[in-house]
Amino acid sequence: MNLVLLLATFSLFIGVLSEEGLNPGIVNVGAIFSFNTINGKVAKVAMKAAEEDINSDPSVLGGRKLSIQLHDSNFSSFLGIIGALQFMETDTVAIIGPQSSEMAHVLSNLANELQVPLLSFTALDPSLSPLQYPFFVQTAPNDEFQMTAIAEMVSYFSWSEVIAIFSDDDQSRNGIITLGDKLAERRCRISYKAALPPGPTAKRVDVLRELDKIQMMESRIIVLHSFSRTGLLVFEAAKSLGMMGKGYVWIASTWLSTVLDSFSPLKPEIANSIQGALTLRPHTPDSKRKRNFMSRWNQLSNCSIGFNPYGLYAYDTVWMIARALRLLLDQGGKISFSNDSRLDGISGSTLNLSALNAFDGGKLLLSKILETNMTGLTGNVQFNQDRSLINPSYDIVNAVGNGQRLVGYWSNHTGLSIVPPETLYSEKPNRSSSNQHLDKVVWPGGETARPRGWVFPNNGRELRIGIPRRVSYRDFVLLVNGTDKVQGYCIDVFLAAIKLLPYAFPYRFIPFGDGHKNPSYYELVNKIKSGVFDGVVGDIAIVTNRTRIVDFSLPYIESGLVVVAPVKKISSSAWSFARPFTPLMWAVTAAFFLIVGSVVWILEHRRNDEFRGPPKQQFITIL
């Protein structure tokens, strides 16, 4: 959209230049959020706390005061644009927000033209390129890192396919596209994408329609990327359909962790509907400043909303602007504004486009923001060359009972770990599979064993598996009379092989033969070639004429001559060598002993004087 036409359309809502904008002692910063959302409420409290802390220390802005002007977009991109135009009218040096990425795409064009930095910690669409939108800065890890963490979790648990449920808006849609890319890098994929109406327009009937489709599918790994209202609606509908039970896996993006953190304890109906789900929370290292801020939270918020990490990002974003302003002033920069000459030629009786001013020091302020290197409540705040925060990391949280359980961490440095990321930054990156670790997870249905991740689909064609209806040797394959039950050694091998497959394998056994005589195995195998069967299981020998028409598995029974003998277990002793010598064997040995001696006596008696003499002497000689 042409920016000039956009300004001309909405300038009807712009008033005259405010007196506050002319006061050199006040620096105006705008903030555009939907303050009726979880992150909107948290951001409002945190930004006002940061404003108070900055103004209480004159050294931060050299005696100037920071004024944060809040604008409630109320879930409307139109009202968000109006708020941005109003801020440009009041000489605003920077705008915090917007909350959603679809609004960020529009307002970034306005920020580019009037050179006002736009900083957001919730519009985290990976497609918001700094090349296209140079004045837009994401002050929290964008969704590319979140989707990388989810992809690594899927790979860690050895799943190959996931189903994605998302709100059909820019942020959620582009996040799922990024997830698909990250899964593909790990040889996984998204098998189905369920798009729901964006924002508050999603209804229960829309959710039920998509969940009914998903129930018929093979994959049981579901990634839910949306906002809190739609996400909770999905979980409630899934619970009613029995999709929060054994076998299912639910992985939610950071929206679920904000619900767990901001509303503790949860309402029973919400807690029951999310049992066993995994979610991500932006990781912020523990520090004294963070603990002090959290201890002030109930007083700051009047107990209206619980604390979540995006409050820390809101607080640090305000301080980021304040520090950059101080550097700009210290280097001789000025906070001044000038009219855009291109707007002077647009005439109209009710238009006041001349009130829109470009920030002369916008480029310098932007450069100082990108050079930020400070220790904030979220830890070390510093940007890479691609404008992303260094060392982004997440907590991996398991929803259990009425709360949550930490099962590990993910960082861009080392991947999945049970050790806090900040303790690993000094080590070399190690993303090998052997170095990935998570604690045990309580899955939906209370299971602790890793779910298989898929089931036999209800909408898929079953494979026709032929089996011989044998009369003899029924231990190999047996169709139990009067039933459809099939058993036997070959069937056991087949079923064991199926359990090892990482995907669904629907099938049904079809007997072949009349049951009165063994069927022809050549005809049985030929049924595969003719398309009657998709496969055959049985004691089928691999012979030449059969291999010409079908493929065989590796043989699992070897044929050939064998000796079968009963085995009796006996104890071992020092006299074991004498066990073969039975009484009969001893008698036979003694008889042969005498016979051999007698034969020798007969042969030697006539010629050898040693074999002569008295009978007693001759017997001794024989022995």
Side-chain angles (χ1 to χ4, degrees):
M1 180 184 293
N2 188 292
L3 182 62
V4 175
L5 293 178
L6 177 66
L7 297 176
T9 303
F10 295 115
S11 292
L12 177 64
F13 298 91
I14 300 175
V16 297
L17 187 64
S18 69
E19 293 298 326
E20 185 180 51
L22 296 173
N23 188 343
I26 296 178
V27 180
N28 292 321
V29 174
I32 302 174
F33 282 86
S34 295
F35 292 118
N36 198 33
T37 62
I38 295 176
N39 286 338
K41 293 177 181 178
V42 169
K44 183 177 180 179
V45 175
M47 288 187 295
K48 281 301 181 181
E51 177 189 29
E52 180 181 342
D53 292 345
I54 291 169
N55 290 336
S56 64
D57 185 356
S59 65
V60 177
L61 289 176
R64 292 173 181 256
K65 296 292 184 182
L66 186 70
S67 176
I68 298 181
Q69 306 297 317
L70 303 176
H71 177 81
D72 187 0
S73 61
N74 196 24
F75 302 100
S76 170
S77 297
F78 176 78
L79 293 180
I81 294 171
I82 298 304
L85 293 173
Q86 290 176 339
F87 288 145
M88 300 305 179
E89 182 190 18
T90 57
D91 292 349
T92 299
V93 299
I95 295 176
I96 301 174
Q99 187 169 350
S100 62
S101 292
E102 59 268 23
M103 197 185 302
H105 282 277
V106 177
L107 296 187
S108 292
N109 290 298
L110 182 61
N112 291 347
E113 293 295 329
L114 299 180
Q115 299 189 2
V116 176
L118 195 65
L119 294 84
S120 179
F121 50 88
T122 54
L124 304 175
D125 183 353
S127 69
L128 286 164
S129 167
L131 297 176
Q132 184 178 4
Y133 306 115
F135 278 84
F136 181 77
V137 181
Q138 293 171 326
T139 59
N142 73 36
D143 284 347
E144 179 181 357
F145 300 107
Q146 181 179 192
M147 296 306 158
T148 302
I150 293 176
E152 291 199 359
M153 290 167 60
V154 172
S155 177
Y156 172 79
F157 288 112
S158 301
W159 298 316
S160 59
E161 292 186 359
V162 304
I163 293 173
I165 304 177
F166 61 98
S167 296
D168 198 9
D169 53 55
D170 286 349
Q171 180 156 329
S172 298
R173 188 188 314 111
N174 291 328
I176 293 301
I177 292 173
T178 303
L179 174 62
D181 295 339
K182 298 302 179 182
L183 287 171
E185 294 174 3
R186 294 156 178 83
R187 298 184 179 181
C188 306
R189 71 185 185 98
I190 299 176
S191 60
Y192 179 71
K193 297 179 181 180
L196 301 175
T201 61
K203 306 298 181 184
R204 195 173 192 272
V205 63
D206 302 318
V207 175
L208 289 174
R209 185 184 303 114
E210 290 297 333
L211 292 182
D212 283 338
K213 297 178 185 177
I214 292 171
Q215 271 191 311
M216 301 291 291
M217 297 178 183
E218 171 186 320
S219 178
R220 285 294 182 262
I221 315 300
I222 304 173
V223 176
L224 178 54
H225 185 43
S226 64
F227 297 97
S228 57
R229 183 187 178 280
T230 302
L232 292 176
L233 183 61
V234 170
F235 274 118
E236 183 273 327
K239 178 72 174 178
S240 67
L241 293 175
M243 297 177 66
M244 293 303 298
K246 181 180 178 181
Y248 282 91
V249 174
W250 288 82
I251 304 175
S253 52
T254 54
W255 69 265
L256 181 56
S257 68
T258 63
V259 173
L260 293 171
D261 292 333
S262 301
F263 300 104
S264 182
L266 297 172
K267 295 180 180 178
E269 58 271 21
I270 295 178
N272 291 334
S273 67
I274 63 174
Q275 290 297 301
L278 286 175
T279 184
L280 300 176
R281 179 201 295 123
H283 177 74
T284 55
D286 187 35
S287 66
K288 183 177 179 181
R289 288 187 61 200
K290 175 183 172 181
R291 291 193 299 270
N292 290 340
F293 182 76
M294 292 174 63
S295 66
R296 296 167 52 198
W297 184 259
N298 287 337
Q299 180 182 356
L300 293 171
S301 64
N302 292 323
C303 298
S304 60
I305 186 72
F307 172 82
N308 73 58
Y310 287 103
L312 302 179
Y313 283 105
Y315 185 92
D316 281 355
T317 300
V318 177
W319 271 94
M320 205 180 299
I321 296 172
R323 287 174 178 267
L325 282 169
R326 181 56 190 267
L327 290 175
L328 180 147
L329 295 172
D330 288 346
Q331 295 180 8
K334 295 182 179 180
I335 299 177
S336 61
F337 297 82
S338 58
N339 294 113
D340 192 333
S341 59
R342 291 175 297 177
L343 300 178
D344 294 338
I346 301 178
S347 60
S349 58
T350 59
L351 299 181
N352 188 24
L353 296 180
S354 60
L356 296 177
N357 297 317
F359 181 22
D360 297 328
K363 289 184 178 180
L364 183 57
L365 179 62
L366 175 65
S367 67
K368 299 305 176 186
I369 291 173
L370 296 177
E371 293 171 7
T372 297
N373 187 359
M374 70 178 194
T375 301
L377 299 185
T378 58
N380 184 27
V381 181
Q382 190 177 357
F383 292 97
N384 291 323
Q385 292 182 349
D386 60 357
R387 292 195 183 186
S388 62
L389 293 174
I390 64 169
N391 297 326
S393 55
Y394 294 91
D395 299 340
I396 301 175
V397 176
N398 187 199
V400 180
N402 203 303
Q404 53 186 286
R405 176 174 166 267
L406 185 66
V407 297
Y409 307 90
W410 177 89
S411 72
N412 197 42
H413 184 71
T414 56
L416 302 174
S417 172
I418 56 176
V419 180
E422 56 270 20
T423 64
L424 301 175
Y425 290 149
S426 59
E427 301 178 5
K428 291 183 179 180
N430 186 351
R431 304 298 289 270
S432 63
S433 58
S434 61
N435 198 51
Q436 307 300 298
H437 302 286
L438 289 178
D439 283 338
K440 288 187 176 180
V441 178
V442 179
W443 304 101
E447 293 291 314
T448 55
R450 179 188 68 86
R452 182 168 57 176
W454 58 268
V455 294
F456 296 121
N458 294 326
N459 58 348
R461 183 179 73 85
E462 294 179 327
L463 295 181
R464 298 158 299 179
I465 305 299
I467 58 171
R469 196 169 184 179
R470 294 193 58 90
V471 177
S472 60
Y473 297 104
R474 292 157 64 92
D475 290 337
F476 290 107
V477 180
L478 172 63
L479 177 65
V480 180
N481 292 331
T483 69
D484 295 330
K485 184 178 179 180
V486 181
Q487 60 189 33
Y489 179 75
C490 296
I491 301 301
D492 292 340
V493 173
F494 175 75
L495 296 178
I498 285 180
K499 290 181 179 179
L500 298 176
L501 295 176
Y503 50 83
F505 188 86
Y507 66 91
R508 60 189 176 95
F509 290 120
I510 301 176
F512 177 76
D514 57 12
H516 300 293
K517 62 180 180 178
N518 291 331
S520 167
Y521 277 22
Y522 180 81
E523 292 180 7
L524 175 60
V525 170
N526 199 53
K527 292 292 184 181
I528 301 177
K529 180 181 178 181
S530 62
V532 176
F533 296 143
D534 297 304
V536 170
V537 175
D539 54 328
I540 304 170
I542 304 175
V543 295
T544 303
N545 63 339
R546 297 174 190 168
T547 58
R548 293 193 180 103
I549 57 176
V550 297
D551 292 325
F552 283 86
S553 68
L554 292 174
Y556 52 87
I557 299 179
E558 292 185 0
S559 60
L561 295 176
V562 296
V563 176
V564 181
V567 177
K568 181 180 180 182
K569 186 175 181 181
I570 56 179
S571 59
S572 178
S573 69
W575 294 96
S576 298
F577 72 92
R579 286 201 181 100
F581 295 92
T582 61
L584 179 61
M585 187 174 181
W586 281 113
V588 172
T589 302
F592 272 98
F593 184 75
L594 294 175
I595 292 172
V596 171
S598 300
V599 171
V600 173
W601 178 82
I602 293 172
L603 295 176
E604 296 291 334
H605 174 68
R606 295 179 182 178
R607 299 178 182 179
N608 195 337
D609 293 339
E610 296 292 335
F611 287 87
R612 296 179 183 176
K616 180 179 179 182
Q617 179 64 36
Q618 294 185 43
F619 181 73
I620 293 174
T621 302
I622 291 174
L623 294 180

